[in-house]
Amino acid sequence: QVQLVESGGGLVQAGGSLRLACVASVRTFSIYVMAWFRQAPGKEREFVAAVNWSGDSTYYGDSVKGRFTLSREKSKNTVYLQLNSLEPEDTAIYYCAARSRTAGAYEFWGQGTQVTVSS
């Protein structure tokens, strides 16, 4: 019912910035939460940020340390993740995810976009 496509990843030096985007293609489905996760090679997938689609509540994982900002553009079914003050530790594949109001877990996932931060 939902297809998620991420974009905006790339190679950046430490201290630089990137802006990721996730576009949702929705069919007979109401998004309740859209979120970002990331996973580095050999490491567990980590929560990054989430936004309540109907409201305006945002949530951030401790690891981003206030450096990332999540925003949404409902008219385009798009959520953005602004990555600032990037560090090599932020290197990972960043995934967009979405779930409905009644789901117990995120139901839909994108294919991910690679973020690589060099020192």
Side-chain angles (χ1 to χ4, degrees):
Q1 293 180 319
V2 177
Q3 181 179 355
L4 305 174
V5 180
E6 304 96 332
S7 64
L11 175 64
V12 65
Q13 293 183 355
S17 299
L18 288 171
R19 186 175 179 85
L20 310 183
C22 174
V23 180
S25 178
V26 181
R27 297 183 177 90
T28 64
F29 184 86
S30 295
I31 295 174
Y32 179 59
V33 177
M34 290 188 68
W36 288 92
F37 292 79
R38 67 184 183 183
Q39 188 168 27
K43 296 185 179 298
E44 184 179 351
R45 186 162 57 198
E46 177 185 30
F47 171 78
V48 176
V51 61
N52 184 297
W53 199 247
S54 298
D56 198 28
S57 299
T58 55
Y59 310 87
Y60 297 93
D62 292 337
S63 61
V64 303
K65 303 176 181 178
R67 298 174 294 117
F68 297 176
T69 303
L70 186 65
S71 62
R72 61 191 174 100
E73 193 168 355
K74 295 182 69 175
S75 63
K76 296 182 178 180
N77 279 347
T78 301
V79 63
Y80 302 94
L81 185 66
Q82 179 69 41
L83 315 179
N84 295 326
S85 301
L86 284 164
E87 304 168 353
E89 293 75 21
D90 296 316
T91 296
I93 300 176
Y94 284 70
Y95 296 94
C96 182
R99 71 174 182 90
S100 64
R101 179 69 177 88
T102 59
Y106 288 94
E107 304 164 86
F108 306 98
W109 295 81
Q111 295 300 304
T113 184
Q114 177 71 49
V115 172
T116 303
V117 185
S118 64
S119 59

